């Protein structure tokens, strides 16, 4: 017996516990955003490293040209090579597992390779501790432009640069060349540059995060509507309806239709509570739905306690065998259901093969439906049938006679059809 799947059972639970579902969804979205930001950060770090390498080469070339003395050229070349080496290492680390796990460390390394390493080299080589605020400002503006995420990393990089300089200043205790007003002015410019960079990164990431959540919410809503549409319509018909929102009607020369009805359901409703009755019916129809999916059969609709399905559309297959297998499994599942739930449900199943027209009509609450003489015939097969058996028309029996066993029921009088030869599928 096929029991309702876990997803089927939890659909209602998911709706009831909507708050819990939202929390779980938000956690998943937060994790997804973190992964996307990590990927974005790594790509931008590689881009920054490439730009820094090219920029470093141009600066080395400039200082080699601008300095008249050989010793000054050698010092400039040494400083440039050290910075280029650090930048090259950071670029390489971006492509390693360490870089993928800790891109924030690479971010700080790239920043301090320019701001701190240059200042340390100048202090060691020239004993010159004039603040290089123009280089610092350029570096922070560059990072805020190229890597506008994780404001706290920008704040740490700026603080680290200032701490590095102050530490060197305390160690060397130099005499600064310019008056204090000059450094105060430079400090104000530098302070506001840092503040604007951090604030800009903070605002950008907040906006980017909102856009990410909005886009994911839209994608989630689209997926839900897509699943809902596929629960109502066959996949090909749903796609056709999306592309051509008009009346859809197709003729199929040969399909096999199944119509099943639960016997005594009306009488049962008189002595059973509505809630329990609906639960029984839902469980049975969920079993039938899974059988339809298992055998490649398309469920058409339920009407009260009746179940209608078809095989052979919208794509052709061994429709008669698919319906026959499903019908036999339906009888078996009902027997097991009765044993497990101490019930006495019985069903009648009618099967008919022939041409139908299938399509979607109307503007609201549309559904995929079948029309034609085959549909009328299968309804008569079910209503004139013996309880607990499967009655098929002659066309269906001809398609299945080499694969299945039948009992010939003989001619029966069918309303609107006259006498018809019918068979009982065994």
């Amino acid at each position: 017996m096929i029991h309702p799947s876990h997803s089927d059972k939890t659909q209602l639970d998911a709706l009831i516990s909507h708050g819990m579902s939202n929390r779980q969804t938000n956690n998943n979205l937060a994790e997804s955003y973190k992964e996307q930001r990590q990927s974005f950060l790594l790509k931008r770090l590689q881009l920054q490293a490439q730009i820094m390498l090219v920029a470093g080469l141009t600066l080395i070339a400039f200082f080699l040209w601008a300095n008249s003395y050989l010793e000054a050229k050698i010092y400039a070349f040494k400083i440039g090579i050290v910075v280029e080496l650090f930048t090259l290492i950071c670029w390489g680390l971006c492509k390693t597992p360490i870089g993928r796990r800790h891109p924030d460390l690479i971010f700080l390394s790239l920043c301090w390779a320019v701001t701190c390493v240059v200042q340390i080299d100048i202090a060691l080589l020239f004993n010159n501790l004039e603040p290089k605020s123009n280089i610092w400002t350029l570096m922070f503006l560059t990072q805020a432009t190229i890597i506008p995420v994780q404001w706290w990393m920008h704040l740490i990089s700026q603080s680290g640069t200032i701490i590095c300089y102050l530490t060197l200043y305390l160690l060397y205790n130099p005499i600064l060349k310019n008056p204090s007003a000059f450094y105060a002015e430079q400090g104000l410019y530098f302070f506001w540059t840092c503040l604007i960079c951090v604030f800009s990164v903070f605002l950008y990431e907040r906006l980017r995060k909102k856009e990410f959540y909005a886009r994911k919410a839209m994608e989630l809503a689209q997926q839900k509507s897509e699943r809902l549409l596929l629960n109502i319509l066959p996949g090909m018909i749903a796609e056709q309806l999306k592309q051509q929102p008009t009346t859809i009607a197709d003729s199929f020369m040969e399909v096999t239709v199944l119509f099943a009805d639960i016997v005594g359901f009306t009488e049962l409703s008189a002595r059973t509570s509505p809630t329990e009755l609906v639960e029984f019916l839902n469980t049975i129809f969920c079993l039938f739905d899974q059988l339809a999916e298992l055998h490649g059969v398309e469920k058409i609709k339920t009407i009260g306690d009746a179940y209608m399905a078809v095989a052979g559309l919208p794509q052709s297959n061994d429709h008669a065998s698919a319906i026959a297998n499903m019908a036999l499994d339906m009888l078996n599942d009902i027997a097991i259901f009765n044993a497990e739930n101490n019930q006495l449900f019985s069903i009648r199943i009618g099967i008919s093969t022939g041409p139908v027209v299938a399509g979607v009509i109307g503007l609201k609450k549309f559904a995929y439906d079948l029309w034609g003489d085959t549909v009328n015939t299968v309804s008569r097969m079910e209503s004139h049938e013996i309880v607990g058996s499967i009655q098929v028309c002659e066309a269906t029996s001809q398609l299945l006679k080499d694969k299945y066993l039948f009992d010939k029921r003989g001619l029966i009088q069918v309303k609107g059809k006259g006498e018809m030869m019918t068979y009982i599928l065994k």
Side-chain angles (χ1 to χ4, degrees):
M1 177 179 181
I2 300 176
H3 293 279
S5 66
H6 179 71
S7 60
D8 290 330
K9 289 181 178 179
T10 56
Q11 283 180 358
L12 186 58
D13 295 337
L15 291 174
I16 294 173
S17 58
H18 186 63
M20 186 179 297
S21 177
N22 277 342
R23 286 194 295 273
Q24 185 63 39
T25 300
N26 287 338
N27 290 338
N28 293 338
L29 285 175
E31 192 64 30
S32 178
Y33 174 73
K34 184 179 178 181
E35 290 175 3
Q36 189 189 76
R37 184 180 63 186
Q38 199 92 330
S39 175
F40 172 81
L41 183 58
L42 275 172
K43 290 178 182 178
R44 288 303 182 89
L45 283 171
Q46 293 182 59
L47 175 62
Q48 183 187 358
Q50 293 168 4
I51 293 174
M52 287 173 62
L53 286 170
V54 176
L57 290 175
T58 61
L59 289 172
I60 291 173
F62 169 76
F63 285 116
L64 288 176
W65 171 77
N67 289 311
S68 303
Y69 300 102
L70 178 62
E71 187 177 2
K73 290 179 184 289
I74 293 173
Y75 284 147
F77 182 76
K78 285 181 178 179
I79 294 173
I81 287 299
V82 169
V83 174
E84 291 287 274
L85 182 61
F86 269 98
T87 305
L88 194 61
I89 292 172
C90 290
W91 185 21
L93 286 174
C94 287
K95 302 177 182 180
T96 65
I98 296 176
R100 287 190 287 271
R101 284 196 301 270
H102 304 289
D104 47 342
L105 297 181
I106 297 176
F107 175 92
L108 296 175
S109 299
L110 280 172
C111 175
W112 292 337
V114 173
T115 59
C116 295
V117 172
V118 169
Q119 192 70 58
I120 292 170
D121 285 344
I122 292 175
L124 293 175
L125 295 175
F126 301 106
N127 197 24
N128 183 352
L129 279 175
E130 288 291 320
K132 300 296 180 181
S133 59
N134 55 342
I135 297 178
W136 303 344
T137 299
L138 178 63
M139 188 66 212
F140 298 149
L141 284 172
T142 301
Q143 284 193 315
T145 305
I146 296 177
I147 310 174
V149 292
Q150 293 188 309
W151 63 270
W152 56 270
M153 286 199 315
H154 291 261
L155 184 60
I156 291 174
S157 68
Q158 295 165 9
S159 302
T161 297
I162 297 170
I163 291 171
C164 175
Y165 175 77
L166 292 176
T167 302
L168 291 172
Y169 185 86
L170 292 174
L171 290 174
Y172 285 85
N173 194 23
I175 299 174
L176 300 178
K177 300 176 183 178
N178 295 301
S180 58
F182 171 81
Y183 298 110
E185 179 186 0
Q186 295 298 310
L188 280 174
Y189 283 126
F190 182 64
F191 169 79
W192 283 111
T193 298
C194 292
L195 184 64
I196 290 170
C197 284
V198 172
F199 190 58
S200 173
V201 169
F202 170 76
L203 291 178
Y204 174 86
E205 182 163 13
R206 189 168 70 170
L207 176 62
R208 191 167 181 268
K209 192 173 184 178
K210 286 182 178 179
E211 290 177 344
F212 173 84
Y213 274 71
R215 187 171 63 253
K216 286 296 182 182
M218 186 180 297
E219 290 175 1
L220 186 62
Q222 186 175 358
Q223 290 172 5
K224 287 181 178 178
S225 64
E226 188 79 14
R227 285 197 299 268
L228 181 61
L229 190 61
L230 291 176
N231 277 335
I232 298 172
L233 303 173
M236 290 176 60
I237 301 301
E239 192 63 33
Q240 187 178 348
L241 189 65
K242 286 190 291 184
Q243 296 177 4
Q244 177 190 351
T246 58
T247 301
I248 296 174
D250 297 299
S251 296
F252 297 89
M253 296 309 297
E254 188 178 78
V255 300
T256 300
V257 184
L258 175 148
F259 200 90
D261 178 62
I262 298 177
V263 181
F265 190 79
T266 305
E267 292 78 4
L268 180 65
S269 63
R271 61 178 188 273
T272 308
S273 69
T275 302
E276 188 178 13
L277 193 68
V278 171
E279 287 179 355
F280 281 145
L281 191 61
N282 179 65
T283 302
I284 292 171
F285 281 175
C286 282
L287 294 173
F288 292 173
D289 287 345
Q290 291 180 76
L291 288 176
E293 186 174 355
L294 177 66
H295 294 293
V297 172
E298 191 69 43
K299 173 186 176 181
I300 298 299
K301 59 186 174 182
T302 58
I303 310 168
D305 61 335
Y307 190 96
M308 183 178 178
V310 64
L313 63 81
Q315 293 180 318
S316 179
N317 57 9
D318 188 3
H319 48 85
S321 295
I323 288 289
N325 291 333
M326 178 176 173
L328 292 168
D329 284 346
M330 288 168 74
L331 290 180
N332 184 57
D333 279 6
I334 284 292
I336 298 174
F337 174 84
N338 285 336
E340 291 179 349
N341 295 276
N342 194 27
Q343 295 296 321
L344 297 173
F345 285 107
S346 298
I347 58 172
R348 290 189 298 252
I349 302 175
I351 299 176
S352 180
T353 300
V356 297
V357 174
V360 180
I361 59 174
L363 296 175
K364 294 182 178 180
K365 297 183 179 179
F366 48 79
Y368 192 62
D369 210 345
L370 305 179
W371 299 273
D373 185 63
T374 303
V375 180
N376 297 331
T377 301
V378 74
S379 177
R380 301 292 184 261
M381 287 291 101
E382 178 272 324
S383 61
H384 288 75
E385 195 198 336
I386 303 169
V387 174
S389 61
I390 304 168
Q391 185 165 242
V392 305
C393 70
E394 188 162 15
T396 306
S397 70
Q398 290 300 313
L399 293 174
L400 298 175
K401 64 182 180 180
D402 296 330
K403 303 177 184 178
Y404 297 83
L405 297 176
F406 292 93
D407 283 344
K408 186 174 181 181
R409 188 180 181 189
L411 293 172
I412 62 171
Q413 190 68 31
V414 178
K415 182 181 177 181
K417 302 291 294 182
E419 289 187 338
M420 290 186 63
M421 180 64 70
T422 60
Y423 300 83
I424 302 299
L425 175 64
K426 293 296 184 179

